[in-house]
Amino acid sequence: MTTRHAPLAQSVLLALVVAPACAWSATPTVHVGNPKTAEFQSVQSAVDALPETGGIVEIDAGTWREKLVVAKPNVKLVGQGKRPQDVVLVWGDSHISAGGTGKSASVWASGDGFEAHNLTIQNDYHLKNAERSQAVALRLTADRAIIENVRLLGAQDTLYAASKSPDSPSRQYFRDCYVEGHVDFIFGDAKAFFDRCHIHGIANDVVMITAQSKVKPEQDSAYVFDRCRITADAGVRELWLGRAWRPYATVIFIRTRIDAPLQPAGWREWTPGTTDTFSTATYREYESTGQGASIATREPSARQLTKAEAKQWSLKNLLSGTDGWRPH
């Protein structure tokens, strides 16, 4: 596909002819890049041009400054660079400027079956404004979502891993991703599995990695971090695994390498001296390693898992659902 602004029907036909034989080979493919070689010069226009059943958006290397909304199902964003750093989707809204934390997202993907591969999603509000505010890079409410080899950059509230409804939590799979931020920078009520991801706290007095928001005990919602790595800038004064945004927050760290001076208790109350979420939240660890792995000093309610209990939080058990979904 090399014709600029080619009609969608022509783009779809060419995609069917030249696409490799794979699971996505019968899916419409559009290209974002240089006007001389691509049909589209913005990611949003490419997404909008896809049929209502979705398709693949291939994105050339470069910085794409635009606010992106993906509501169609089965949309797959694929960076064409050699590294995720080569393709950057960035915007700079905040809770203040956009009129709400969710509205601040640089990318909001609500269409089920959403995928993003080999690219960066960033909210750079904190780099340009002295006034602090929540500023989301990725707001993800899609079910059956796959985020692979993606960098998620921001400060407060970087990744909003959430659901459309608390009665039907969205299943989300993050593989080989890098997520950075400071206050509550992975938050929401999705059923999310982080597989071999790098979680990094940027310079701030207090860094809260998670703020999970399971609202009632029967809600099937949790964050699971499996074989991930935690690091932090030298400017971080207090580093915590998280706090409960809602009373039944559920967060599990399995075989995590904690290469940073984590606070010995690991977990903090939402508002110390005011709230009491430790009595309802579920915080667990299994075989943490590194300088921050201090089992003996953890918050008493945040106990260690046995080997059998850890298996209950496997990828298959967490995300398969009634339809048997497998993100690999």
Side-chain angles (χ1 to χ4, degrees):
M1 298 183 296
T2 58
T3 304
R4 184 182 180 189
H5 302 309
L8 182 60
Q10 179 182 348
S11 301
V12 173
L13 178 61
L14 288 172
L16 293 174
V17 172
V18 303
C22 65
W24 286 82
S25 62
T27 303
T29 301
V30 294
H31 184 195
V32 179
N34 189 297
K36 296 181 179 180
T37 60
E39 299 93 348
F40 301 97
Q41 282 73 63
S42 77
V43 180
Q44 188 68 67
S45 63
V47 170
D48 292 345
L50 290 172
E52 292 306 309
T53 52
I56 302 172
V57 179
E58 296 177 340
I59 309 169
D60 280 354
T63 297
W64 303 90
R65 178 165 283 278
E66 55 183 300
K67 194 175 178 75
L68 179 63
V69 176
V70 183
K72 294 174 181 177
N74 304 316
V75 172
K76 182 178 184 180
L77 306 180
V78 182
Q80 297 296 291
K82 293 182 179 179
R83 310 169 303 159
Q85 293 93 321
D86 296 335
V87 177
V88 181
L89 311 181
V90 59
W91 195 249
D93 268 343
S94 70
H95 175 91
I96 296 170
S97 63
T101 300
K103 294 179 181 178
S104 73
S106 299
V107 176
W108 178 13
S110 61
D112 293 344
F114 174 79
E115 296 189 26
H117 299 263
N118 194 40
L119 50 81
T120 295
I121 299 173
Q122 181 179 18
N123 188 314
D124 63 357
Y125 171 85
H126 67 291
L127 300 178
K128 299 181 177 183
N129 296 273
E131 185 175 14
R132 293 202 168 199
S133 180
Q134 301 94 328
V136 176
L138 174 61
R139 178 183 180 183
L140 186 62
T141 56
D143 185 37
R144 303 187 310 279
I146 297 175
I147 312 298
E148 185 174 27
N149 196 31
V150 168
R151 297 163 74 234
L152 300 171
L153 310 182
Q156 183 170 353
D157 293 8
T158 303
L159 170 59
Y160 192 1
S163 302
K164 298 184 186 74
S165 167
D167 296 323
S168 182
S170 294
R171 295 165 293 174
Q172 301 170 358
Y173 178 61
F174 298 82
R175 171 67 188 259
D176 294 325
C177 292
Y178 171 87
V179 189
E180 72 172 26
H182 52 55
V183 178
D184 304 333
F185 68 93
I186 302 176
F187 73 109
D189 67 344
K191 188 156 59 166
F193 194 95
F194 296 83
D195 190 351
R196 299 176 176 87
C197 293
H198 182 177
I199 312 300
H200 182 74
I202 64 173
N204 199 56
D205 283 349
V206 178
V207 171
M208 296 286 178
I209 294 174
T210 65
Q212 215 271 345
S213 60
K214 181 175 177 177
V215 297
K216 48 189 177 181
E218 65 270 22
Q219 183 182 354
D220 188 15
S221 170
Y223 288 169
V224 175
F225 296 82
D226 189 358
R227 288 165 290 182
C228 294
R229 182 188 179 208
I230 295 173
T231 58
D233 288 342
V236 174
R237 186 169 62 85
E238 292 185 12
L239 175 66
W240 301 86
L241 294 175
R243 57 179 180 168
W245 183 21
R246 296 292 183 265
Y248 293 93
T250 299
V251 183
I252 315 296
F253 282 90
I254 297 174
R255 294 184 290 271
T256 302
R257 180 178 162 188
I258 308 175
D259 290 334
L262 188 74
Q263 289 295 296
W267 309 89
R268 206 198 76 176
E269 185 56 61
W270 180 256
T271 305
T274 301
T275 56
D276 177 21
T277 59
F278 283 138
S279 62
T280 52
T282 299
Y283 294 135
R284 301 288 185 266
E285 284 179 78
Y286 177 69
E287 292 190 347
S288 295
T289 59
Q291 69 178 106
S294 180
I295 295 174
T297 63
R298 288 293 188 260
E299 154 62 34
S301 66
R303 66 178 181 81
Q304 303 295 307
L305 295 172
T306 66
K307 184 176 182 179
E309 288 171 333
K311 288 182 178 180
Q312 296 175 9
W313 295 100
S314 69
L315 173 62
K316 179 180 178 181
N317 287 340
L318 187 74
L319 298 185
S320 60
T322 58
D323 58 3
W325 181 58
R326 299 185 67 178
H328 290 298

Short mmCIF file of all heavy atoms in Angstrom, two decimals, residues 240 262-268 285 297-300 302:
data_model
loop_
_atom_site.label_atom_id
_atom_site.label_comp_id
_atom_site.label_asym_id
_atom_site.label_seq_id
_atom_site.Cartn_x
_atom_site.Cartn_y
_atom_site.Cartn_z
N TRP A 240 6.38 2.36 47.55
CA TRP A 240 5.41 1.39 48.07
C TRP A 240 4.85 0.55 46.93
O TRP A 240 4.70 1.02 45.80
CB TRP A 240 4.23 2.12 48.74
CG TRP A 240 4.60 3.00 49.89
CD1 TRP A 240 5.01 4.31 49.83
CD2 TRP A 240 4.59 2.66 51.28
NE1 TRP A 240 5.25 4.80 51.09
CE2 TRP A 240 4.99 3.81 52.01
CE3 TRP A 240 4.26 1.50 51.98
CZ2 TRP A 240 5.09 3.83 53.39
CZ3 TRP A 240 4.36 1.52 53.37
CH2 TRP A 240 4.76 2.66 54.06
N LEU A 262 12.42 -0.51 48.67
CA LEU A 262 10.99 -0.49 48.99
C LEU A 262 10.79 -0.26 50.49
O LEU A 262 11.59 -0.73 51.30
CB LEU A 262 10.37 -1.83 48.60
CG LEU A 262 8.85 -1.98 48.66
CD1 LEU A 262 8.20 -1.24 47.51
CD2 LEU A 262 8.46 -3.46 48.64
N GLN A 263 9.72 0.45 50.85
CA GLN A 263 9.39 0.61 52.25
C GLN A 263 9.18 -0.78 52.88
O GLN A 263 8.51 -1.63 52.28
CB GLN A 263 8.12 1.45 52.41
CG GLN A 263 8.32 2.92 52.09
CD GLN A 263 9.28 3.59 53.07
OE1 GLN A 263 9.00 3.70 54.26
NE2 GLN A 263 10.42 4.05 52.56
N PRO A 264 9.74 -1.03 54.06
CA PRO A 264 9.69 -2.37 54.63
C PRO A 264 8.29 -2.97 54.73
O PRO A 264 8.10 -4.17 54.50
CB PRO A 264 10.31 -2.18 56.02
CG PRO A 264 11.24 -1.03 55.84
CD PRO A 264 10.54 -0.11 54.88
N ALA A 265 7.28 -2.15 55.05
CA ALA A 265 5.92 -2.67 55.18
C ALA A 265 5.32 -3.04 53.83
O ALA A 265 4.36 -3.80 53.77
CB ALA A 265 5.03 -1.65 55.88
N GLY A 266 5.87 -2.51 52.75
CA GLY A 266 5.42 -2.87 51.41
C GLY A 266 4.19 -2.12 50.95
O GLY A 266 4.15 -1.58 49.85
N TRP A 267 3.15 -2.12 51.78
CA TRP A 267 1.86 -1.55 51.42
C TRP A 267 1.49 -0.44 52.39
O TRP A 267 1.79 -0.52 53.57
CB TRP A 267 0.78 -2.64 51.46
CG TRP A 267 1.16 -3.86 50.68
CD1 TRP A 267 1.85 -4.95 51.13
CD2 TRP A 267 0.89 -4.10 49.30
NE1 TRP A 267 2.03 -5.86 50.12
CE2 TRP A 267 1.44 -5.37 48.98
CE3 TRP A 267 0.23 -3.38 48.30
CZ2 TRP A 267 1.36 -5.93 47.71
CZ3 TRP A 267 0.14 -3.94 47.03
CH2 TRP A 267 0.70 -5.19 46.76
N ARG A 268 0.76 0.58 51.87
CA ARG A 268 0.37 1.69 52.73
C ARG A 268 -1.14 1.88 52.73
O ARG A 268 -1.81 1.59 51.74
CB ARG A 268 1.04 2.99 52.25
CG ARG A 268 1.23 4.02 53.36
CD ARG A 268 1.46 5.41 52.80
NE ARG A 268 0.23 6.01 52.31
CZ ARG A 268 0.14 7.25 51.83
NH1 ARG A 268 1.22 7.99 51.76
NH2 ARG A 268 -1.02 7.72 51.41
N GLU A 285 2.28 -11.69 48.20
CA GLU A 285 3.54 -11.84 47.49
C GLU A 285 3.93 -13.32 47.48
O GLU A 285 3.53 -14.08 48.36
CB GLU A 285 4.67 -11.07 48.19
CG GLU A 285 4.66 -9.57 48.00
CD GLU A 285 5.81 -8.91 48.77
OE1 GLU A 285 6.96 -8.95 48.28
OE2 GLU A 285 5.54 -8.37 49.87
N THR A 297 9.09 -7.93 57.44
CA THR A 297 8.64 -6.59 57.84
C THR A 297 7.36 -6.14 57.15
O THR A 297 6.92 -5.00 57.35
CB THR A 297 9.74 -5.56 57.53
OG1 THR A 297 9.97 -5.51 56.11
CG2 THR A 297 11.03 -5.90 58.25
N ARG A 298 6.75 -7.01 56.35
CA ARG A 298 5.57 -6.60 55.58
C ARG A 298 4.38 -6.30 56.49
O ARG A 298 4.26 -6.85 57.59
CB ARG A 298 5.19 -7.68 54.57
CG ARG A 298 6.13 -7.80 53.39
CD ARG A 298 6.09 -6.57 52.50
NE ARG A 298 6.86 -6.79 51.27
CZ ARG A 298 8.09 -6.34 51.06
NH1 ARG A 298 8.70 -5.64 52.01
NH2 ARG A 298 8.71 -6.59 49.93
N GLU A 299 3.49 -5.45 55.99
CA GLU A 299 2.20 -5.21 56.64
C GLU A 299 1.58 -6.57 56.98
O GLU A 299 1.47 -7.45 56.13
CB GLU A 299 1.30 -4.41 55.69
CG GLU A 299 -0.19 -4.58 55.87
CD GLU A 299 -0.69 -4.12 57.23
OE1 GLU A 299 -0.12 -3.14 57.78
OE2 GLU A 299 -1.62 -4.76 57.75
N PRO A 300 1.18 -6.81 58.23
CA PRO A 300 0.71 -8.13 58.67
C PRO A 300 -0.42 -8.72 57.83
O PRO A 300 -0.49 -9.93 57.63
CB PRO A 300 0.27 -7.88 60.11
CG PRO A 300 1.09 -6.73 60.56
CD PRO A 300 1.25 -5.86 59.35
N ALA A 302 -0.83 -8.41 54.71
CA ALA A 302 -0.35 -8.72 53.36
C ALA A 302 0.55 -9.94 53.41
O ALA A 302 1.77 -9.85 53.37
CB ALA A 302 0.41 -7.52 52.79
#
